[in-house]
Amino acid sequence: MTKEYDLVILGGGTGGYTAAVRASQLGLTVAVVENDKLGGTCLHRGCIPSKALLKSAEKFRELKEATDFGVQATEVTFDFNQAQKRKETVVQSLFTGVQGLMKKHHIDVFQGFGRILGPSIFSPMPGTISIDHGEESENTMIVPKYVLIATGSRPRELPDMACDGEYVLHTDQALHLEELPDSLTIVGGGVIGIEWASMMVDLGVDVTVLEFQEEILPTEDKEVIKEVKKQLTKRGATIVTGAKIMPETRKIENNQISVQYEKDGEIVTLISDIILTSIGREANIDDIGLANTKAETDSGFLVTNDVHQTKENHIYAIGDCIGGMQLAHVASKEGETAVEHMANADPEPWEDVQVPSCIYSYPEIAHVGLTEEEAKREGYELQIGKMSFQANGKAFVEGDTTGFVKVITNKQTSDILGVHIVGPKATELISEAGLAAFLDASGWEIGETIHAHPTLSETMKEAALAVKELNIHG
């Protein structure tokens, strides 16, 4: 006997389970179909485990630099196995929490691979879900009014450099390293590549980043990129931009791997213990039954409208499988928007420029809105305020005055167009800018808001005041 639901969600990652909870709050009956573990990539292979390891690396770096604080630590060593154990403990604790959320909100979870069927005896419309539990069990059929595809993504691999899990790794595999390499080549200088470079440099690994484009972190402001490169290079990383990997040049000798790249017409051979590829992600939409629907794809990602409907109005899609910003918090917001639309709850419209973007390297990086270059291309006349953490008392107390806050405003209206932070606690400080973007605030409004002293957030206030040259410090 088939079971009917208001909503069936394919994928129990951050976007999927958030959408499930929101749908339950709105009174819908909900089922989640998950082929692996609830929590998805973010919890098990991405955000959480990588940040747990980054935190271990941060603690190691800080302890080695603790002399100025009066801490005399001798023979400081790093136990990578213990760091991995802590990472797994963090993941398991959060996994248990997600499982609890499903029970609390009376959401049924089906373990298996879900496929969308076309019109059949179960339903005159495409959307019945057939759940494959493996060879030893018969498929389960469930019939929803709505389907939400939240199947996520997987690491993209280079055509000529397949990830073997030993010498060439993608980031999922790297999270399970049993020991640190002496040297590491990272192919790709985007967000994930730079986070891994920062982590490994802090742990004493010889790191080289090869980036095909002319600059790392292409979505960040140029001044931020300059500061990040300066700090990574200062700590020992080598960053090569405009580097083209030569096809079929990979060689393995003496338990090391070599690869050749071209830079300014010169061929360079680079030897390291491991190559980590970080060149983007591709959607997990193979074999989920899209051919049985009207849903369309573009460049390998599902196409949706502003409330995340596909061309099949009762089938929605969110998260990495639709491309876009590919951030866990974006997937969550997309999921909420989609189920609120299903439930006629009139979801609040939002735009990408309101979304905070964070990089958990050292120094931390975060931004909301447009870069200076993007704002100029869109024709705005700008007023910019900038404040260094060297003018902030709490930064001195913390022992980290690296970086700055940059506030970009529309000169005609004083509206904030973008806020960029590089420095201590940037990923926490950016939420104030996110709220300002949501409320369409001006720089003056941030500047007039009383900020506690001493706090790092005062740098945000001073940068906003600096737009009109009204800052007190700096």
Side-chain angles (χ1 to χ4, degrees), residues 149 151 283 285 288 290 295-298 300-304 310 316-317 321-323:
I149 302 171
T151 48
I285 55 175
I288 64 170
L290 292 179
E296 297 178 352
T297 62
D298 182 22
F301 295 96
L302 281 161
V303 176
T304 66
T310 68
Y316 294 65
C321 67
I322 67 171

PDB file of all heavy atoms in Angstrom, residues 149 151 283 285 288 290 295-298 300-304 310 316-317 321-323:
ATOM      1  N   ILE A 149      13.206  18.767  -4.761  1.00  0.00           N
ATOM      2  CA  ILE A 149      14.494  18.146  -5.061  1.00  0.00           C
ATOM      3  C   ILE A 149      15.585  18.930  -4.343  1.00  0.00           C
ATOM      4  O   ILE A 149      15.772  20.118  -4.585  1.00  0.00           O
ATOM      5  CB  ILE A 149      14.762  18.123  -6.582  1.00  0.00           C
ATOM      6  CG1 ILE A 149      13.652  17.377  -7.316  1.00  0.00           C
ATOM      7  CG2 ILE A 149      16.117  17.475  -6.881  1.00  0.00           C
ATOM      8  CD1 ILE A 149      13.728  17.501  -8.830  1.00  0.00           C
ATOM      9  N   THR A 151      18.957  17.452  -3.749  1.00  0.00           N
ATOM     10  CA  THR A 151      19.930  16.351  -3.824  1.00  0.00           C
ATOM     11  C   THR A 151      21.381  16.799  -3.748  1.00  0.00           C
ATOM     12  O   THR A 151      22.296  15.972  -3.763  1.00  0.00           O
ATOM     13  CB  THR A 151      19.707  15.544  -5.113  1.00  0.00           C
ATOM     14  OG1 THR A 151      19.596  16.453  -6.223  1.00  0.00           O
ATOM     15  CG2 THR A 151      18.433  14.718  -5.023  1.00  0.00           C
ATOM     16  N   ALA A 283      26.037  19.065  -9.874  1.00  0.00           N
ATOM     17  CA  ALA A 283      24.774  18.680  -9.249  1.00  0.00           C
ATOM     18  C   ALA A 283      24.575  17.169  -9.216  1.00  0.00           C
ATOM     19  O   ALA A 283      24.938  16.459 -10.160  1.00  0.00           O
ATOM     20  CB  ALA A 283      23.615  19.332  -9.996  1.00  0.00           C
ATOM     21  N   ILE A 285      22.033  15.111  -9.842  1.00  0.00           N
ATOM     22  CA  ILE A 285      20.692  14.956 -10.426  1.00  0.00           C
ATOM     23  C   ILE A 285      20.647  13.807 -11.419  1.00  0.00           C
ATOM     24  O   ILE A 285      19.645  13.637 -12.125  1.00  0.00           O
ATOM     25  CB  ILE A 285      20.231  16.269 -11.101  1.00  0.00           C
ATOM     26  CG1 ILE A 285      21.245  16.756 -12.137  1.00  0.00           C
ATOM     27  CG2 ILE A 285      19.965  17.343 -10.051  1.00  0.00           C
ATOM     28  CD1 ILE A 285      20.774  17.982 -12.919  1.00  0.00           C
ATOM     29  N   ILE A 288      17.631  10.497 -11.218  1.00  0.00           N
ATOM     30  CA  ILE A 288      16.560  10.736 -10.236  1.00  0.00           C
ATOM     31  C   ILE A 288      15.192  10.861 -10.912  1.00  0.00           C
ATOM     32  O   ILE A 288      14.207  11.218 -10.263  1.00  0.00           O
ATOM     33  CB  ILE A 288      16.828  11.988  -9.378  1.00  0.00           C
ATOM     34  CG1 ILE A 288      16.832  13.270 -10.230  1.00  0.00           C
ATOM     35  CG2 ILE A 288      18.112  11.841  -8.583  1.00  0.00           C
ATOM     36  CD1 ILE A 288      16.842  14.544  -9.383  1.00  0.00           C
ATOM     37  N   LEU A 290      14.359  12.737 -13.799  1.00  0.00           N
ATOM     38  CA  LEU A 290      13.989  14.021 -14.389  1.00  0.00           C
ATOM     39  C   LEU A 290      13.365  13.866 -15.772  1.00  0.00           C
ATOM     40  O   LEU A 290      12.525  14.680 -16.177  1.00  0.00           O
ATOM     41  CB  LEU A 290      15.220  14.931 -14.483  1.00  0.00           C
ATOM     42  CG  LEU A 290      15.808  15.431 -13.162  1.00  0.00           C
ATOM     43  CD1 LEU A 290      17.028  16.292 -13.423  1.00  0.00           C
ATOM     44  CD2 LEU A 290      14.763  16.209 -12.353  1.00  0.00           C
ATOM     45  N   ALA A 295      10.840  19.188 -15.993  1.00  0.00           N
ATOM     46  CA  ALA A 295      11.930  19.977 -15.420  1.00  0.00           C
ATOM     47  C   ALA A 295      13.077  20.115 -16.407  1.00  0.00           C
ATOM     48  O   ALA A 295      13.441  19.161 -17.100  1.00  0.00           O
ATOM     49  CB  ALA A 295      12.418  19.322 -14.130  1.00  0.00           C
ATOM     50  N   GLU A 296      13.663  21.321 -16.451  1.00  0.00           N
ATOM     51  CA  GLU A 296      14.752  21.610 -17.382  1.00  0.00           C
ATOM     52  C   GLU A 296      16.055  21.842 -16.627  1.00  0.00           C
ATOM     53  O   GLU A 296      16.062  22.214 -15.455  1.00  0.00           O
ATOM     54  CB  GLU A 296      14.414  22.853 -18.214  1.00  0.00           C
ATOM     55  CG  GLU A 296      13.193  22.687 -19.095  1.00  0.00           C
ATOM     56  CD  GLU A 296      12.856  23.957 -19.870  1.00  0.00           C
ATOM     57  OE1 GLU A 296      13.499  25.005 -19.587  1.00  0.00           O
ATOM     58  OE2 GLU A 296      11.963  23.912 -20.736  1.00  0.00           O
ATOM     59  N   THR A 297      17.163  21.617 -17.335  1.00  0.00           N
ATOM     60  CA  THR A 297      18.482  21.870 -16.770  1.00  0.00           C
ATOM     61  C   THR A 297      19.251  22.838 -17.657  1.00  0.00           C
ATOM     62  O   THR A 297      18.961  22.984 -18.842  1.00  0.00           O
ATOM     63  CB  THR A 297      19.298  20.578 -16.617  1.00  0.00           C
ATOM     64  OG1 THR A 297      19.506  19.991 -17.919  1.00  0.00           O
ATOM     65  CG2 THR A 297      18.597  19.576 -15.723  1.00  0.00           C
ATOM     66  N   ASP A 298      20.224  23.482 -17.065  1.00  0.00           N
ATOM     67  CA  ASP A 298      21.112  24.385 -17.787  1.00  0.00           C
ATOM     68  C   ASP A 298      22.505  24.236 -17.203  1.00  0.00           C
ATOM     69  O   ASP A 298      22.694  24.424 -15.990  1.00  0.00           O
ATOM     70  CB  ASP A 298      20.634  25.835 -17.664  1.00  0.00           C
ATOM     71  CG  ASP A 298      21.500  26.817 -18.454  1.00  0.00           C
ATOM     72  OD1 ASP A 298      22.187  26.383 -19.398  1.00  0.00           O
ATOM     73  OD2 ASP A 298      21.500  28.009 -18.112  1.00  0.00           O
ATOM     74  N   GLY A 300      24.073  21.682 -16.467  1.00  0.00           N
ATOM     75  CA  GLY A 300      24.139  20.625 -15.479  1.00  0.00           C
ATOM     76  C   GLY A 300      23.387  20.892 -14.192  1.00  0.00           C
ATOM     77  O   GLY A 300      23.444  20.075 -13.258  1.00  0.00           O
ATOM     78  N   PHE A 301      22.663  22.020 -14.119  1.00  0.00           N
ATOM     79  CA  PHE A 301      21.904  22.356 -12.914  1.00  0.00           C
ATOM     80  C   PHE A 301      20.433  22.547 -13.263  1.00  0.00           C
ATOM     81  O   PHE A 301      20.091  22.973 -14.371  1.00  0.00           O
ATOM     82  CB  PHE A 301      22.445  23.633 -12.272  1.00  0.00           C
ATOM     83  CG  PHE A 301      23.849  23.507 -11.760  1.00  0.00           C
ATOM     84  CD1 PHE A 301      24.930  23.924 -12.538  1.00  0.00           C
ATOM     85  CD2 PHE A 301      24.104  22.966 -10.509  1.00  0.00           C
ATOM     86  CE1 PHE A 301      26.233  23.800 -12.074  1.00  0.00           C
ATOM     87  CE2 PHE A 301      25.401  22.837 -10.040  1.00  0.00           C
ATOM     88  CZ  PHE A 301      26.470  23.250 -10.821  1.00  0.00           C
ATOM     89  N   LEU A 302      19.556  22.243 -12.310  1.00  0.00           N
ATOM     90  CA  LEU A 302      18.125  22.417 -12.514  1.00  0.00           C
ATOM     91  C   LEU A 302      17.763  23.893 -12.617  1.00  0.00           C
ATOM     92  O   LEU A 302      18.326  24.739 -11.910  1.00  0.00           O
ATOM     93  CB  LEU A 302      17.352  21.781 -11.362  1.00  0.00           C
ATOM     94  CG  LEU A 302      17.195  20.253 -11.439  1.00  0.00           C
ATOM     95  CD1 LEU A 302      16.848  19.689 -10.075  1.00  0.00           C
ATOM     96  CD2 LEU A 302      16.119  19.886 -12.451  1.00  0.00           C
ATOM     97  N   VAL A 303      16.815  24.199 -13.475  1.00  0.00           N
ATOM     98  CA  VAL A 303      16.342  25.571 -13.679  1.00  0.00           C
ATOM     99  C   VAL A 303      15.057  25.765 -12.876  1.00  0.00           C
ATOM    100  O   VAL A 303      14.121  24.959 -12.972  1.00  0.00           O
ATOM    101  CB  VAL A 303      16.075  25.840 -15.169  1.00  0.00           C
ATOM    102  CG1 VAL A 303      15.497  27.239 -15.366  1.00  0.00           C
ATOM    103  CG2 VAL A 303      17.350  25.668 -15.988  1.00  0.00           C
ATOM    104  N   THR A 304      15.022  26.842 -12.073  1.00  0.00           N
ATOM    105  CA  THR A 304      13.825  27.149 -11.283  1.00  0.00           C
ATOM    106  C   THR A 304      13.493  28.633 -11.405  1.00  0.00           C
ATOM    107  O   THR A 304      14.327  29.439 -11.817  1.00  0.00           O
ATOM    108  CB  THR A 304      14.029  26.800  -9.793  1.00  0.00           C
ATOM    109  OG1 THR A 304      15.035  27.660  -9.237  1.00  0.00           O
ATOM    110  CG2 THR A 304      14.433  25.345  -9.615  1.00  0.00           C
ATOM    111  N   THR A 310      10.244  24.217 -10.666  1.00  0.00           N
ATOM    112  CA  THR A 310      10.733  23.820 -11.981  1.00  0.00           C
ATOM    113  C   THR A 310       9.619  24.065 -13.000  1.00  0.00           C
ATOM    114  O   THR A 310       8.575  24.619 -12.663  1.00  0.00           O
ATOM    115  CB  THR A 310      11.135  22.337 -11.987  1.00  0.00           C
ATOM    116  OG1 THR A 310       9.947  21.536 -11.831  1.00  0.00           O
ATOM    117  CG2 THR A 310      12.127  22.022 -10.867  1.00  0.00           C
ATOM    118  N   TYR A 316       9.601  21.284  -7.098  1.00  0.00           N
ATOM    119  CA  TYR A 316      10.493  22.395  -6.772  1.00  0.00           C
ATOM    120  C   TYR A 316      11.923  21.850  -6.623  1.00  0.00           C
ATOM    121  O   TYR A 316      12.139  20.648  -6.484  1.00  0.00           O
ATOM    122  CB  TYR A 316      10.079  23.057  -5.459  1.00  0.00           C
ATOM    123  CG  TYR A 316       8.736  23.764  -5.473  1.00  0.00           C
ATOM    124  CD1 TYR A 316       7.542  23.058  -5.660  1.00  0.00           C
ATOM    125  CD2 TYR A 316       8.654  25.133  -5.262  1.00  0.00           C
ATOM    126  CE1 TYR A 316       6.314  23.709  -5.649  1.00  0.00           C
ATOM    127  CE2 TYR A 316       7.428  25.790  -5.237  1.00  0.00           C
ATOM    128  CZ  TYR A 316       6.257  25.072  -5.439  1.00  0.00           C
ATOM    129  OH  TYR A 316       5.042  25.721  -5.417  1.00  0.00           O
ATOM    130  N   ALA A 317      12.898  22.752  -6.629  1.00  0.00           N
ATOM    131  CA  ALA A 317      14.293  22.345  -6.425  1.00  0.00           C
ATOM    132  C   ALA A 317      15.051  23.464  -5.728  1.00  0.00           C
ATOM    133  O   ALA A 317      14.800  24.656  -5.985  1.00  0.00           O
ATOM    134  CB  ALA A 317      14.966  22.004  -7.748  1.00  0.00           C
ATOM    135  N   CYS A 321      21.953  21.767  -6.221  1.00  0.00           N
ATOM    136  CA  CYS A 321      21.535  21.167  -7.489  1.00  0.00           C
ATOM    137  C   CYS A 321      20.930  22.185  -8.446  1.00  0.00           C
ATOM    138  O   CYS A 321      20.691  21.870  -9.616  1.00  0.00           O
ATOM    139  CB  CYS A 321      20.582  20.000  -7.259  1.00  0.00           C
ATOM    140  SG  CYS A 321      18.972  20.440  -6.581  1.00  0.00           S
ATOM    141  N   ILE A 322      20.683  23.425  -7.982  1.00  0.00           N
ATOM    142  CA  ILE A 322      20.216  24.472  -8.902  1.00  0.00           C
ATOM    143  C   ILE A 322      21.319  25.494  -9.172  1.00  0.00           C
ATOM    144  O   ILE A 322      21.079  26.521  -9.816  1.00  0.00           O
ATOM    145  CB  ILE A 322      18.940  25.172  -8.388  1.00  0.00           C
ATOM    146  CG1 ILE A 322      19.207  25.982  -7.127  1.00  0.00           C
ATOM    147  CG2 ILE A 322      17.828  24.165  -8.153  1.00  0.00           C
ATOM    148  CD1 ILE A 322      18.033  26.870  -6.708  1.00  0.00           C
ATOM    149  N   GLY A 323      22.535  25.227  -8.672  1.00  0.00           N
ATOM    150  CA  GLY A 323      23.649  26.144  -8.923  1.00  0.00           C
ATOM    151  C   GLY A 323      23.569  27.368  -8.038  1.00  0.00           C
ATOM    152  O   GLY A 323      23.221  27.287  -6.864  1.00  0.00           O
TER     153      GLY A 323
END
